[in-house]
């Protein structure tokens, strides 16, 4: 079988970006949680919040490092594997990525050291300021990256000069039509990803030790958070879907399995096997009119189908179709767990119900799986276009020897697979330790030349009962 360098380059980029996206989606949520706990500690002086902030900083730092290392590779791949893309789109996307480095990465890198090592060395307010800046840095990073990605999905504010894109209105470039929906959807996904990791780790510790007060506190807070975030994500997702229907109708047709040039009214296809050769769905299970209600907010609304464009302009439908259902299915699983927790809370059995805690314990990967599935919907659904309707992916791939691309792809698979195993091994060790006990915090803070707040904390810790705080 003859190898195709362009296909291999696409596979390599898909693999490396899938690996990378796992880590920012965790750090955005964890940075926010740590900032909330540290702020609550300053406000209430409850040492449990201090325990939680101290506990999750190390997993955050390890995950942040993995995200930085895996993200650098992506920028090199633009030049090596898709040199035509850099040449055509560089004048627009280059500045957006530079803004990400200047306004987000520098903020994170500059204050991360204070956040990690500043305890007992700077004042409590300065430390909290550093934590908040790191949190804002993760948000800003997501904003710029998603702005650039959204521009490729819904290009605006540009002009073509000698075959190259140039910005004619930077405001329209940055705030292109799909950017607000995509940023909101991704930030909420990141919060949910981190929330369910916190829920899983906390549930595991509660199962082991019913007196672990810090674990109960983080479990309760994260579940309250998901009770708000999951419905909000469903609402934002609905708006995002309407935006896709308006600006990327072929992607929507692949998501919903709509084949006729125009279908009205729309069924909601619960399950099917998209048959691209015969241009229809096999084994379809659908609810009449429900698709119209969801996609057009009316019972008889219609939508453009896949047959409205030539086969060469359609995405690979099965990946888009099934990835979307995985994402939505996990969303409803998250909602079920959140409502189950609410029901148990009302019965005062949240920390006693073993079936719930066992299910919650295994929820740790669901946010990452949903994020990956959503990313596949977004990126595979855009194909064959790299810039929607303007630049095809296959046009901009570098003319590389296929054997060399296969070698680099194989190297990435082995290297990233090893890195992921090492990451999971160290994270498991860190998370199994649990939060530092109040006695350990007291010991850490009993050092010469402490700032005033640390001495005050020592006194608070010493005055607190130790039951439930120690691990």
């Amino acid at each position: 079988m003859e190898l195709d360098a362009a296909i291999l380059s696409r596979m390599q980029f898909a693999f490396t970006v899938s690996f990378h996206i796992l880590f920012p989606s965790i750090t955005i949520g964890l940075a926010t949680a740590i900032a909330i706990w540290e702020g609550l500690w300053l406000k209430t002086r409850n040492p449990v919040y201090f325990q939680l902030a101290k506990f999750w900083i190390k997993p955050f730092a390890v995950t942040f490092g993995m995200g930085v290392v895996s993200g650098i590779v992506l920028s090199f791949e633009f030049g090596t594997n898709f040199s035509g893309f850099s040449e055509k789109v560089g004048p627009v996307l280059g500045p957006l990525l530079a803004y990400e480095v200047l306004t987000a990465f520098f903020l994170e890198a500059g204050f991360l050291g204070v956040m990690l090592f500043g305890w007992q060395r700077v004042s409590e307010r300065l430390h909290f300021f550093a934590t908040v800046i790191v949190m804002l840095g993760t948000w800003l990073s997501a904003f710029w990256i998603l702005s650039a990605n959204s521009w490729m999905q819904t290009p605006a504010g540009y002009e073509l000069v000698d075959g190259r894109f140039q910005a004619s209105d930077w405001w329209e470039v940055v705030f292109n039509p799909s950017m607000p929906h995509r940023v909101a959807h991704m930030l909420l996904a990141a919060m949910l990803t981190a929330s369910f990791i916190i829920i899983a780790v906390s549930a595991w510790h509660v199962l082991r030790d019913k007196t672990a007060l810090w674990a109960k506190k983080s479990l309760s807070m994260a579940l309250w958070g998901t009770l708000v975030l999951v419905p909000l994500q469903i609402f934002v997702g609905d708006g995002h879907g309407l935006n896709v229907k308006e600006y990327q109708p072929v992607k929507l047709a692949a998501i919903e399995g709509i084949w006729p040039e125009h279908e009205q009214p729309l069924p909601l296809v619960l399950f099917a096997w998209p048959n691209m050769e015969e241009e229809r769905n096999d084994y379809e299970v659908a609810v009449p009119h429900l698709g119209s209600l969801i996609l057009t907010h009316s019972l008889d609304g219609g939508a453009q189908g896949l047959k409205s464009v030539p086969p060469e302009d359609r995405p690979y439908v099965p990946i888009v179709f099934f990835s979307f259902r995985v994402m939505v299915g996990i969303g409803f699983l998250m909602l079920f767990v959140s409502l189950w927790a609410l029901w148990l809370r009302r019965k005062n059995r949240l920390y006693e119900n073993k079936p719930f805690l066992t299910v919650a314990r295994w929820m740790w990967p669901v946010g990452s799986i949903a994020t990956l599935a959503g990313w596949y919907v977004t990126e595979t659904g855009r194909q064959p276009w790299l810039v929607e309707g303007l630049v095809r992916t296959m046009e901009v791939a570098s003319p590389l020897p296929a054997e060399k691309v296969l070698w680099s792809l194989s190297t990435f698979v082995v290297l990233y697979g090893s890195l992921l195993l090492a990451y999971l091994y160290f994270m498991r060790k860190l998370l199994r330790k649990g939060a530092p006990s109040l006695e350990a915090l007291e010991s850490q803070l009993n050092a010469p030349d402490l700032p005033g707040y640390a001495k005050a904390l020592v006194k608070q810790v010493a005055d607190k009962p130790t039951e439930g705080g120690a691990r």
Side-chain angles (χ1 to χ4, degrees):
M1 183 178 69
E2 187 175 350
L3 297 174
D4 187 317
I7 294 291
L8 289 170
S9 290
R10 290 176 63 184
M11 291 172 62
Q12 178 176 305
F13 192 80
F15 177 76
T16 50
V17 79
S18 297
F19 183 84
H20 169 69
I21 199 174
L22 293 173
F23 305 106
S25 63
I26 295 173
T27 53
I28 292 170
L30 275 187
T32 307
I34 291 169
I36 291 172
W37 285 322
E38 194 172 342
L40 286 172
W41 168 59
L42 290 176
K43 182 175 177 58
T44 66
R45 298 297 177 178
N46 184 342
V48 172
Y49 295 124
F50 188 65
Q51 280 181 290
L52 289 171
K54 292 277 284 186
F55 172 46
W56 283 99
I57 273 186
K58 287 182 181 177
F60 166 80
V62 173
T63 310
F64 182 84
M66 291 287 289
V68 171
V69 170
S70 57
I72 291 172
V73 173
L74 300 177
S75 56
F76 286 114
E77 284 184 290
F78 285 131
T80 56
N81 296 68
F82 300 98
S83 55
F85 173 69
S86 302
E87 183 180 343
K88 284 177 178 290
V89 187
V92 174
L93 292 192
L96 296 184
L97 300 179
Y99 295 149
E100 191 266 339
V101 173
L102 291 172
T103 64
F105 185 71
F106 281 0
L107 275 181
E108 293 169 324
F111 286 89
L112 184 64
V114 179
M115 179 183 176
L116 294 179
F117 307 110
W119 301 105
Q120 301 144 256
R121 293 180 175 84
V122 298
S123 73
E124 57 186 3
R125 293 188 183 280
L126 179 56
H127 190 277
F128 179 58
F129 176 75
T131 304
V132 171
I133 292 297
V134 170
M135 179 194 74
L136 292 177
T138 62
W139 290 5
L140 270 175
S141 180
F143 171 82
W144 288 115
I145 295 297
L146 289 169
S147 176
N149 181 270
S150 299
W151 185 84
M152 292 191 288
Q153 308 272 347
T154 53
Y158 70 90
E159 57 185 2
L160 278 166
V161 179
D162 297 329
R164 301 180 72 203
F165 289 86
Q166 292 189 358
S168 58
D169 186 328
W170 277 108
W171 185 265
E172 289 187 11
V173 169
V174 175
F175 296 94
N176 58 79
S178 66
M179 187 280 284
H181 301 277
R182 215 175 297 280
V183 169
H185 201 47
M186 187 64 201
L187 286 178
L188 286 169
M191 300 301 170
L192 284 168
T193 299
S195 294
F196 276 96
I197 290 174
I198 293 168
I199 287 169
V201 173
S202 303
W204 184 79
H205 281 283
V206 172
L207 277 169
R208 292 183 65 206
D209 182 3
K210 291 288 189 296
T211 65
L213 183 61
W214 66 270
K216 291 181 178 178
K217 176 67 78 176
S218 57
L219 178 65
S220 174
M221 291 180 69
L223 285 168
W224 279 123
T226 59
L227 204 58
V228 176
L229 292 172
V230 176
L232 188 58
Q233 181 69 306
I234 293 172
F235 174 76
V236 170
D238 178 63
H240 192 15
L242 296 178
N243 182 268
V244 172
K245 179 177 181 295
E246 181 176 356
Y247 292 97
Q248 296 177 290
V250 178
K251 178 193 287 187
L252 182 78
I255 289 172
E256 299 298 337
I258 304 170
W259 289 97
E261 287 189 28
H262 186 87
E263 189 165 17
Q264 184 180 11
L266 299 168
L268 179 66
V269 181
L270 300 177
F271 178 81
W273 189 268
N275 187 332
M276 293 189 67
E277 289 186 0
E278 299 185 13
E279 299 181 326
R280 62 183 176 83
N281 292 328
D282 294 335
Y283 316 111
E284 181 176 296
V285 178
V287 181
H289 294 277
L290 190 54
S292 291
L293 185 63
I294 294 172
L295 293 172
T296 67
H297 295 182
S298 75
L299 286 175
D300 298 314
Q304 183 178 332
L306 288 158
K307 290 182 182 178
S308 62
V309 297
E312 61 269 22
D313 289 347
R314 302 171 191 166
Y316 186 70
V317 179
I319 292 180
V320 184
F321 182 85
F322 288 115
S323 296
F324 179 77
R325 277 146 189 80
V326 169
M327 179 185 68
V328 172
I330 289 177
F332 281 102
L333 174 63
M334 290 175 170
L335 182 63
F336 169 75
V337 170
S338 303
L339 293 174
W340 188 6
L342 179 65
W343 181 72
L344 291 173
R345 198 190 297 270
R346 290 172 64 88
K347 292 182 171 296
N348 202 27
R349 295 180 55 210
L350 181 61
Y351 310 115
E352 309 298 331
N353 190 284
K354 193 171 181 181
F356 169 78
L357 293 173
T358 303
V359 169
R361 169 191 173 185
W362 290 106
M363 290 292 285
W364 62 270
V366 296
S368 295
I369 295 171
T371 301
L372 277 179
W375 194 251
Y376 293 152
V377 172
T378 299
E379 298 307 303
T380 308
R382 178 183 51 181
Q383 300 300 324
W385 305 103
L386 200 56
V387 178
E388 183 76 29
L390 298 168
V391 179
R392 288 177 183 271
T393 306
M394 300 301 278
E395 293 173 6
V396 297
S398 302
L400 297 170
E403 292 75 13
K404 290 191 175 180
V405 183
L406 179 63
W407 182 85
S408 61
L409 171 60
S410 304
T411 303
F412 274 120
V413 170
V414 173
L415 180 62
Y416 278 18
S418 303
L419 276 174
L420 184 60
L421 289 176
Y423 170 78
L424 292 174
Y425 173 76
F426 283 111
M427 283 291 281
R428 185 172 181 270
K429 287 190 70 173
L430 283 174
L431 297 174
R432 283 175 67 91
K433 282 183 179 178
S437 68
L438 295 178
E439 293 87 347
L441 288 176
E442 183 182 7
S443 173
Q444 291 173 17
L445 293 171
N446 269 322
D449 303 325
L450 291 178
Y453 80 91
K455 291 177 180 174
L457 179 64
V458 170
K459 186 174 185 311
Q460 294 164 16
V461 169
D463 291 343
K464 281 278 177 183
T466 57
E467 182 183 1
R471 286 275 347 123

